[in-house]
């Protein structure tokens, strides 16, 4: 009997990673802006998506000054 591995990674119990197409300069600027706001790209994008799709209690992310 051979030990065949199933394809892919095992479930981690975390939200799956997604890919997004965005120009490099915008990606870099998003990271810098999120850091200035005390956040990170993932949180900012998730908060924006929740607000954009009108999820209950969702708020537009804070834009850094």
């Amino acid at each position: 009997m051979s030990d065949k591995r199933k394809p892919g990674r095992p479930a981690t119990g975390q939200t799956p990673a997604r890919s997004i197409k965005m120009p490099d300069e915008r990606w870099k600027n998003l990271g810098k802006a999120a850091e200035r706001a005390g956040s990170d790209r993932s949180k900012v994008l998730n908060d924006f998506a929740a607000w954009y799709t009108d999820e209950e209690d969702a708020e537009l992310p804070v834009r850094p000054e």
Side-chain angles (χ1 to χ4, degrees):
M1 180 187 309
S2 67
D3 291 338
K4 289 188 177 183
R5 295 179 61 179
K6 293 183 180 181
R9 286 183 45 214
T12 62
Q14 297 178 354
T15 304
R18 307 286 184 203
S19 65
I20 182 172
K21 291 184 178 186
M22 185 179 298
D24 289 342
E25 190 68 19
R26 182 174 300 141
W27 186 252
K28 183 174 79 174
N29 291 338
L30 176 60
K32 289 178 182 178
E35 192 173 293
R36 286 195 313 271
S39 192
D40 58 56
R41 287 182 193 107
S42 183
K43 174 134 178 47
V44 169
L45 292 172
N46 271 295
D47 288 350
F48 179 77
W51 171 82
Y52 193 82
T53 58
D54 202 25
E55 291 181 22
E56 189 174 331
D57 298 326
E59 295 181 8
L60 193 58
V62 175
R63 181 182 291 169
E65 299 195 24

